[in-house]
Amino acid sequence: MDRIRIVGGAPLMGAIPISGAKNAALPLMIASLLTDETLTLDNVPRLADVAMLKRILGNHGVDCMVLGKRAGQNGLQGESIELRAGDIVDTVAPYELVSRMRASFWVIGPLLARMGEARVSLPGGCAIGTRPVDFFIAALRDLGAEIDIDGGYVIARAKKGLRGNRIVFPKTTVGATHVAMMAASLARGETVIENAAREPEIADVAACLVKMGAKISGAGTSTIRIDGVDRLNAARHAVMPDRIETGTYAMAVTMTGGDLLLEGATLAILPTALDVLTAVGAEVTATNEGLRIRRNGNGLAPVDVTTEPFPGFPTDLQAQLMALVSRANGTSHIRETIFENRFMHVQELARLGADIHLDGQMATVTGVDRLKGAQVMATDLRASVSLVIAGLAAEGETVVNRVYHLDRGFERIEDKLGACGATIERLSG
Ligand code: UD1
């Protein structure tokens, strides 16, 4: 298994191109199941999760073609891919595939809407909490589906097609909002989704669906209206920039010091997190090319932060923030409200010298003067990257083991950081 070796201490200087968002690319690829025509996606990040989803979609009969490079492209841009679900050959998403990537459960919406049936494995356990699928099931039932659970599979049927309805989510859910929006696009009549997730990736997927001929308004707000149509058609869409990658590199430079231009990023995709970073000690400037992040001359200030659905502070940046404030001058409090078990990085950060006390969903982080490099273990995607940024600011050598988690969600992280002055390398095998 690959490892990443870092020698900490160098400031980050230079520019990092921000990749297409994993959390938009995945549902956009899944949207290709809604039409027999070609969906072309640009700026698709080269990530293990994207490769896995290509395989999963291939199993349903989706042809996926990576388009050749165009003049002026230097390999740093994402891929352009064509997805064509001419015939859906299989409406079953088996356990072996769904258990490897939770978001692949989302195929249930488009398969059901287009084919009138889907048989999708329950995703199973997950390192960051139980993550049930009850909101998906309730929403699809609202749209007229019959749903049974048998042998670990969710079996959904709507032989006469789905019909529009009012869906009210009891709690904000990104995945079930995507699925309800996709399914309702091909339902008969109007659907209104209330308490919809407002994450920018929802608006990005909606924009693509609209290009495909869907009638959707309000995506990005908590009420989404969808007028069902009979069929969707070909379209071309560029994946939005990754706000979690943006936030992660912004925290890295705030921690190490230096000056980074995060190319392609905008203020709008990270409202609260950038405010928090400014409070900790970053200077954030929006430019035509992206966001410029510098560490201001002072030390790092402690903060009190609670993770919340968008536009609040994202749970996907919680681990990275914890790494950052582990070096603050004072005590920070970080409360996790989205996932009940998302603190696996705490023990590993402690190996680098961080002082973190956990009490239920609340972490109390007492800033220390210095972190010291050590061997650490990546446990999930965002936890792993918090160890990388802590390693960049630690004295001496840090080795992050089990790097495959990182490859699921961060494109060429060692190249991007290495180009900005970090001493970082991948050790194979
Ligand atoms: C998505 C993101 C993930 C991010 C999360 C929250 C993708 C591919 N993943 O995950 O990176 O951390 O949003 O911003 O976009 N829940 C239920 N029942 C359900 C569905 C969800 O109880 O049927 C709960 C979850 O356990 C969790 C909360 O709702 O506590 C929010 O989860 P949700 O927004 O659905 O997360 P994902 O879509 O899985």
Side-chain angles (χ1 to χ4, degrees), residues 3-8 347-354 371-378 387-388 390-401 427:
R3 291 165 298 152
I4 286 200
R5 177 178 169 272
I6 300 161
V7 181
Q347 281 180 18
E348 300 302 308
L349 288 171
R351 292 177 58 77
L352 298 172
L371 299 177
K372 256 192 98 187
Q375 293 265 345
V376 288
M377 184 81 81
L387 301 173
V388 172
L392 292 173
E395 287 171 12
E397 180 180 284
T398 295
V399 176
V400 183
N401 293 285
L427 308 173

Side-chain angles (χ1 to χ4, degrees), residues 215-262:
K215 295 188 176 154
I216 301 174
S217 62
T221 75
S222 53
T223 305
I224 304 178
R225 286 173 198 280
I226 303 138
D227 241 330
V229 295
D230 287 342
R231 62 187 316 275
L232 294 174
N233 40 51
R236 182 161 197 154
H237 184 79
V239 179
M240 65 171 286
D242 196 312
R243 63 198 168 93
I244 303 305
E245 189 192 29
T246 303
T248 300
Y249 290 131
M251 294 206 193
V253 65
T254 308
M255 201 168 181
T256 60
D259 189 338
L260 276 188
L261 176 66
L262 303 177

